[in-house]
Amino acid sequence: MTIVVVSGNPRPHSRTLHLAEEVGGALAARLGLATPRTVDVGDLGVRLLQPGDGAVADAVAALRRASVLVVATPTYKGSYTGVLKVLLDQLPTGGLQDIAAVTVVTAGVQPQADAAQRNLRELLGELGAVPVEPGLAVIEGDLANAGAAAAAYVDSIAAGFSTVATEAS
């Protein structure tokens, strides 16, 4: 079983990425898996729009091979980012079939986080993924404690997650 962490923040090496990597690392430790691979759309930048780009093709292939995805995004106008959508649009219909997907959202306020969580779960479900409930939403003021938030979240989903992850593999 492999975990892939995806950060949909357009800025490379963002706080959203850090939180997502904390969640992925905590999941890997809990499930006894290798360190997750990370796909940072901020690093891919304009290559996301260049047909046939090797780094983008490699990222898409990694998503398709994953057993578990940790998909993170900051909230932009109540939803996920456009660059995350551009990456996910490169997947074929059903391209994430039966892959367990943990959603991680950062937002300024809770209602924005809730809206982005719903939209992201719907998008991943449309691609065939199995969203893990609940997702993790962290308000910007709490991002300084990303490790603690990730650990508490993984503890809260551990029992149910093992079942979902086993079904997805």
Side-chain angles (χ1 to χ4, degrees), residues 6-25:
V6 180
S7 173
N9 196 312
R11 288 182 314 209
H13 315 291
S14 66
R15 295 181 301 167
T16 302
L17 171 65
H18 176 67
L19 176 61
E21 288 179 328
E22 290 284 347
V23 171

Side-chain angles (χ1 to χ4, degrees), residues 21-94:
E21 288 179 328
E22 290 284 347
V23 171
L27 276 173
R30 178 71 111 167
L31 299 173
L33 301 174
T35 302
R37 161 133 187 226
T38 298
V39 173
D40 186 354
V41 297
D43 279 340
L44 294 173
V46 297
R47 291 179 296 182
L48 286 164
L49 302 173
Q50 298 170 347
D53 181 81
V56 174
D58 181 56
V60 170
L63 297 178
R64 296 193 72 195
R65 286 191 308 267
S67 304
V68 178
L69 288 174
V70 175
V71 183
T73 184
T75 301
Y76 278 48
K77 301 197 187 293
S79 192
Y80 45 81
T81 63
V83 291
L84 177 59
K85 180 76 164 66
V86 170
L87 174 66
L88 295 176
D89 278 348
Q90 298 189 42
L91 291 161
T93 301

Side-chain angles (χ1 to χ4, degrees), residues 76-145:
Y76 278 48
K77 301 197 187 293
S79 192
Y80 45 81
T81 63
V83 291
L84 177 59
K85 180 76 164 66
V86 170
L87 174 66
L88 295 176
D89 278 348
Q90 298 189 42
L91 291 161
T93 301
L96 299 178
Q97 194 65 43
D98 298 325
I99 296 173
V102 174
T103 56
V104 177
V105 172
T106 60
V109 295
Q110 193 62 48
Q112 290 176 344
D114 294 342
Q117 278 282 359
R118 273 191 310 277
N119 290 328
L120 184 55
R121 281 195 306 269
E122 287 175 12
L123 172 61
L124 293 169
E126 182 69 24
L127 290 166
V130 180
V132 174
E133 295 288 342
L136 173 63
V138 177
I139 304 307
E140 287 185 24
D142 297 330
L143 281 173
N145 301 318

